[in-house]
Amino acid sequence: MKLLRASLVVLPALLLGPSHSNAQPAAAADAAKATPEEGIPVTDPVVLAKCGGCHTKDSHGNLSRISWERATPEQWEEALKRMVRLNGVRLTPAEAKAIIKYLSTYHGLAPEEAKPVMYLAEKRIQDETIIPNDTLRGACANCHPLARPLSWRRSPEDWKMLANLHVALYPQADEAFRLGINAGGFGDHEKPGDVLPVDDALAYLSKTAPLHTPEWAAWRARMRAPKLAGRWLVSANITGHGKYYGELEVEPGGADDEFTTRVKLVSVKDGSTVVRAGHSLVYAGYSWRGRSKGTSPAGSAPDDLSSEMREVMWVSPDQSHAEGRWFWGQYQEFGFDVTLQRASTEPTLMGVDRSALKTGSQSNRVRLIGDNLPAQITAADLDLGSGVTVRRVVSHTPGEVVAEVDVAADAVPGKRDIAIRRAVLQSAIAIYDRIDYIKVVPESVVARLGSETHPKGYQQFEAIGYQRGADGKPHTADDVELGPVDVSWSVAEFYSVYGDDDKDFVGTLSPTGFFTPASDGPNPKRKFMRNNYGDIWVVATSKTEKSTDGRPLTGKSYLVVTVPMYMQWDQPEVGQ
């Protein structure tokens, strides 16, 4: 693989020319004099054969650039595709797979390093709380999540080379590196001698994401082949569909890190089943990447649960449990939140059919889902904490227990564990006195218009009730989540310009909170024949719960409906 010679030939002129005099990181001269950091030798014959022509090998077995980098499977895949697109590297599918396997395992991240940024691989849309300041936000997160660079580990010199590569390939990067959060023309340009945003970013990344870490050293010593074959218990939740429970059978595949899978899930809401089969590859002993699809053909509904899905999960270092997301859709907007735990001969509690119980309520039927539950169970075997009395056990099987419980009027609100003898399900059910407010999730999100050539990007909304928590104040960190609330759905205008009429054109919202965007435009029915884009409020109004002043509780989400993503830069295949 070639070394993107633009970064070697063009960049010195770019970085040292008059208009870019301040874009060179301040510590570059000192770094050039520093003793080079020890690299990670490359030993794989395929990597040496396909990459060694341009990435030169030294006497220690290091390949230039590669030996001073570590990354997640998705990031190595993107780097390999860049080599193919820009430098003409020729690879067979088997060679590409072997290279990504090797680099993701022996130049990968430790489980503790990968877990905080798993949301990037899982395609979750969320506000990043890991950005330490506006300087980092401007230099790095103007164009992509900060989780992207934090999915890499590099030497300080390699971080500088990455910055240079950005300037060479992306003209807007130089502006972001010099202006940071003000990139785009706002604020004063840099003055001679200023510390630029790129300098702060490189200092932060060199310290936060260095090549050598205690976590990686420990993981390299204890890493082992994934021994995942067997029966796993699955707990899953999908927005708008509710909770599912079931079993996953994992069988060995063509290599010691490859597997075939079959899963059966049962809906808590209506008892419907989902059966799926697939295959997966586990990188570095813990990074599960797979694909699966329903055993029956998928229907035409975009949120059909038989659709082909990608699976991204983090397997615990002891290989006893896993968690992650199985997702699908043109914009990965649909997905199961999934947790796995190994099945055992011991009784195990997996979940409960309801998320909350109200103080003072009587004869509540609670269904507990589990595995290998005791053959004989009495009310005394069940424990939901103080203030909750198990009146009787209605029925029980090895897979579930139905009990009738009373909640005292003075029971302390909050999350409760549920126990059947020694089997415990932590924070399984909430006790509450009233619902104080409703939150619509996702709280802010993007949907995309579609056309015959560009599929639509949909959104499913859900209304979640909350109790104010121990401090008595709503919208604080100790608030208690109570689960979905029965609501009526509507849309309202988000007024951003005079004569706003977006809610009439952007799309439709179903009685279950499913938003279907309109077709791409232009639309002759709109003023100025505009496209059907716009922004609106998605509003949930409770059918039963009221505020202290007697009005129905409401919540809302901010929805932006925009044009299709006409160009997608990358389509990951690491999920097999």
Side-chain angles (χ1 to χ4, degrees):
M1 288 183 287
K2 298 180 181 177
L3 185 58
L4 290 180
R5 292 176 183 172
S7 66
L8 299 179
V9 178
V10 179
L11 280 175
L14 286 174
L15 297 178
L16 298 177
S19 62
H20 295 272
S21 58
N22 288 324
Q24 176 78 0
D30 293 338
K33 300 176 183 178
T35 302
E37 188 168 359
E38 182 181 354
I40 302 172
V42 175
T43 60
D44 182 72
V46 180
V47 177
L48 291 171
K50 292 297 179 178
C51 307
C54 297
H55 293 268
T56 56
K57 185 177 180 179
D58 67 15
S59 59
H60 301 287
N62 298 315
L63 292 188
S64 59
R65 295 302 301 273
I66 295 174
S67 288
W68 285 270
E69 298 171 342
R70 296 190 286 115
T72 62
E74 286 77 13
Q75 301 308 310
W76 277 123
E77 182 192 39
E78 286 191 6
L80 189 60
K81 286 185 174 181
R82 189 169 67 245
M83 299 297 102
V84 172
R85 287 194 299 261
L86 297 184
N87 297 284
V89 173
R90 294 182 178 275
L91 298 169
T92 66
E95 290 169 338
K97 180 179 179 180
I99 291 172
I100 293 172
K101 253 193 184 188
Y102 175 81
L103 294 177
S104 299
T105 299
Y106 298 101
H107 295 246
L109 301 190
E112 299 83 0
E113 295 172 323
K115 193 170 187 180
V117 293
M118 280 295 294
Y119 63 87
L120 182 67
E122 293 169 347
K123 303 298 181 182
R124 296 183 188 273
I125 303 300
Q126 65 182 58
D127 290 334
E128 287 195 303
T129 58
I130 60 174
I131 303 175
N133 53 56
D134 281 347
T135 301
L136 267 293
R137 187 181 302 277
C140 299
N142 266 340
C143 298
H144 54 65
L146 189 62
R148 184 162 178 161
L150 291 180
S151 295
W152 288 86
R153 296 296 185 271
R154 302 172 183 268
S155 67
E157 186 61 26
D158 203 79
W159 281 117
K160 295 182 178 70
M161 290 183 181
L162 179 68
N164 291 349
L165 178 65
H166 274 61
V167 174
L169 294 182
Y170 313 112
Q172 70 272 27
D174 179 58
E175 187 174 34
F177 288 172
R178 290 184 291 108
L179 301 179
I181 202 70
N182 294 317
F186 300 100
D188 295 332
H189 284 249
E190 75 279 1
K191 301 179 179 66
D194 282 355
V195 175
L196 301 182
V198 66
D199 297 321
D200 284 340
L202 291 176
Y204 171 83
L205 292 170
S206 296
K207 180 180 179 180
T208 305
L211 178 64
H212 297 291
T213 65
E215 294 81 6
W216 177 245
W219 184 242
R220 282 293 293 117
R222 66 187 292 214
M223 187 192 306
R224 57 193 174 99
K227 306 295 184 183
L228 305 181
R231 189 169 71 98
W232 293 74
L233 306 178
V234 185
S235 304
N237 184 74
I238 179 171
T239 302
H241 291 262
K243 298 177 182 178
Y244 288 77
Y245 298 97
E247 297 181 1
L248 174 71
E249 290 290 343
V250 180
E251 296 182 355
D256 61 2
D257 54 5
E258 298 181 23
F259 304 91
T260 60
T261 61
R262 184 178 177 87
V263 63
K264 180 179 179 180
L265 300 174
V266 180
S267 168
V268 171
K269 182 187 296 185
D270 58 18
S272 61
T273 61
V274 177
V275 179
R276 304 180 58 80
H279 45 88
S280 63
L281 195 160
V282 179
Y283 299 92
Y286 73 92
S287 288
W288 175 300
R289 303 293 187 269
R291 291 183 187 270
S292 65
K293 59 183 179 180
T295 55
S296 57
S300 58
D303 62 342
D304 192 295
L305 301 185
S306 292
S307 302
E308 182 175 356
M309 301 181 191
R310 289 174 53 206
E311 301 175 353
V312 174
M313 290 192 292
W314 182 91
V315 180
S316 64
D318 65 0
Q319 301 180 9
S320 66
H321 65 275
E323 59 188 69
R325 184 171 184 253
W326 301 351
F327 53 87
W328 76 102
Q330 178 68 14
Y331 301 98
Q332 300 89 42
E333 65 265 40
F334 304 114
F336 281 98
D337 293 321
V338 178
T339 60
L340 307 180
Q341 57 181 319
R342 281 191 186 272
S344 71
T345 57
E346 293 296 316
T348 303
L349 278 174
M350 299 165 58
V352 59
D353 69 337
R354 53 196 304 170
S355 54
L357 294 171
K358 193 170 185 178
T359 54
S361 59
Q362 303 291 308
S363 301
N364 299 285
R365 287 213 169 188
V366 177
R367 181 160 63 98
L368 307 177
I369 296 97
D371 186 61
N372 286 328
L373 298 178
Q376 299 297 323
I377 297 178
T378 67
D381 294 322
L382 273 64
D383 187 357
L384 283 77
S386 62
V388 181
T389 302
V390 179
R391 178 177 290 186
R392 67 188 181 102
V393 173
V394 178
S395 64
H396 64 86
T397 68
E400 73 171 37
V401 173
V402 178
E404 216 171 67
V405 304
D406 299 335
V407 184
D410 60 352
V412 178
K415 290 283 189 178
R416 300 295 185 87
D417 296 344
I418 298 178
I420 297 181
R421 298 180 186 171
R422 291 185 299 173
V424 179
L425 189 65
Q426 295 183 348
S427 301
I429 198 165
I431 304 299
Y432 72 102
D433 54 356
R434 70 170 187 265
I435 298 178
D436 290 292
Y437 65 93
I438 290 174
K439 180 185 293 186
V440 176
V441 294
E443 292 186 80
S444 61
V445 73
V446 173
R448 292 187 180 271
L449 306 170
S451 65
E452 293 182 358
T453 56
H454 295 89
K456 296 179 179 181
Y458 302 85
Q459 284 299 334
Q460 174 69 61
F461 294 90
E462 195 168 58
I464 307 297
Y466 283 82
Q467 195 259 3
R468 62 199 175 281
D471 65 1
K473 301 176 182 178
H475 305 286
T476 57
D478 71 341
D479 292 356
V480 181
E481 181 181 331
L482 305 177
V485 176
D486 192 16
V487 298
S488 298
W489 293 97
S490 61
V491 298
E493 197 65 63
F494 181 92
Y495 290 102
S496 54
V497 297
Y498 289 111
D500 228 347
D501 60 355
D502 294 341
K503 71 181 182 66
D504 299 324
F505 295 98
V506 294
T508 58
L509 187 67
S510 79
T512 59
F514 186 80
F515 181 79
T516 301
S519 297
D520 202 1
N523 188 346
K525 295 182 180 180
R526 289 200 85 173
K527 191 175 182 179
F528 307 122
M529 290 187 65
R530 288 182 295 157
N531 207 319
N532 288 318
Y533 56 77
D535 49 357
I536 58 172
W537 292 114
V538 173
V539 182
T541 303
S542 174
K543 295 180 180 180
T544 57
E545 303 297 330
K546 298 183 182 298
S547 62
T548 53
D549 59 6
R551 292 182 296 178
L553 289 177
T554 62
K556 59 184 180 180
S557 169
Y558 177 55
L559 172 64
V560 175
V561 184
T562 187
V563 297
M565 187 176 291
Y566 295 112
M567 182 177 292
Q568 297 195 33
W569 294 100
D570 190 58
Q571 293 292 325
E573 281 92 31
V574 295
Q576 291 286 285

